[in-house]
Amino acid sequence: CQIRNSRFVSESYQFFGASVATLGDLDGGLIDDIAISGRDSVFIFLGERIEDLLTTAPPSGLVLQSSDADITLSGPVGSYAGMALAGGEDFDADGIPDLLIGAPGSPTDGTSAGVTFLIDGGTLRTALGNGLRNVDMDTVGISLVGAAYPGNQGEHSGQSVAFVETTSSDPYVDVLIGAPTRSTTMNGNNRGGIYLLRGQDLLSYSAGDTVPASIVGIKLTGSVDGGLAGSAVASAGDVNGDGAEDILIGAPETTIGS
């Protein structure tokens, strides 16, 4: 992974850099910070420290390892936590940016319902201020859990994640979670789908809470068997000029006209 004459490296087979995100100014240092995923982990590097190190870096550039992260967020082993990241938005309007981390392989008992960790920036800033270098994702964020179905795999929620502002009537930012193997039949038809969770509704929960995403969010399901809707999600911006952001949902196995 590379940024402005800097390289970020890790040990072999750690999938370091599989997903990356800008966080905004997490620690109040007036420079944006970054998140880089690894195997079941997310490594956070503070922008001001990178800036300082660049001033004394050799001509070949600055090399940082995952172990140089200012703080590491650890997910369940084998959960693929960090496969999807989204940052730079403040869902609860507290002035500190928050982070979404998808863990589509969680729980690791084979059901793969998927979990998305909504990391609270304020809690993470406190952990940084207390000198912590490693924290568990579920202690600094809300765990938003997908669904598993009897007789087949779960929906792998958290395969994709995004922040989106779907309303201009409040200051809160909403959350999109892709669940590409959601099924509507016992044999697993993999229609896929998404959850749309309003930021205002998420204010009822705090770091450390575990909540089924279906309780908090609106559930949209694909219409085509095997379509894998929710493989990718993103804000589309305000395409119709109504003052609210619209959403994009990728369904890579959906046939045109089906």
Side-chain angles (χ1 to χ4, degrees), residues 82-225:
M83 177 172 283
L85 295 175
E89 296 286 356
D90 179 13
F91 93 90
D92 53 1
D94 66 351
I96 304 173
D98 306 300
L99 174 67
L100 286 171
I101 303 173
S106 185
T108 56
D109 57 4
T111 56
S112 299
V115 175
T116 297
F117 299 100
L118 174 54
I119 305 300
D120 177 62
T123 303
L124 193 53
R125 178 181 286 188
T126 298
L128 280 163
N130 289 337
L132 297 181
R133 293 292 305 277
N134 196 312
V135 296
D136 291 335
M137 294 177 187
D138 60 358
T139 65
V140 291
I142 304 167
S143 301
L144 301 167
V145 183
Y149 312 98
N152 62 66
Q153 65 180 352
E155 61 184 7
H156 292 92
S157 66
Q159 179 80 22
S160 58
V161 296
F163 286 111
V164 58
E165 297 184 51
T166 60
T167 176
S168 57
S169 62
D170 65 49
Y172 310 110
V173 180
D174 307 324
V175 170
L176 279 174
I177 300 173
T181 59
R182 179 182 298 160
S183 295
T184 59
T185 61
M186 288 294 291
N187 63 350
N189 59 7
N190 291 339
R191 289 191 170 190
I194 68 158
Y195 295 100
L196 173 60
L197 296 82
R198 294 181 64 235
Q200 188 170 22
D201 295 335
L202 290 166
L203 296 178
S204 301
Y205 306 97
S206 57
D209 289 343
T210 298
V211 187
S214 59
I215 291 178
V216 187
I218 300 168
K219 185 176 174 181
L220 303 177
T221 299
S223 59
V224 177
D225 288 356

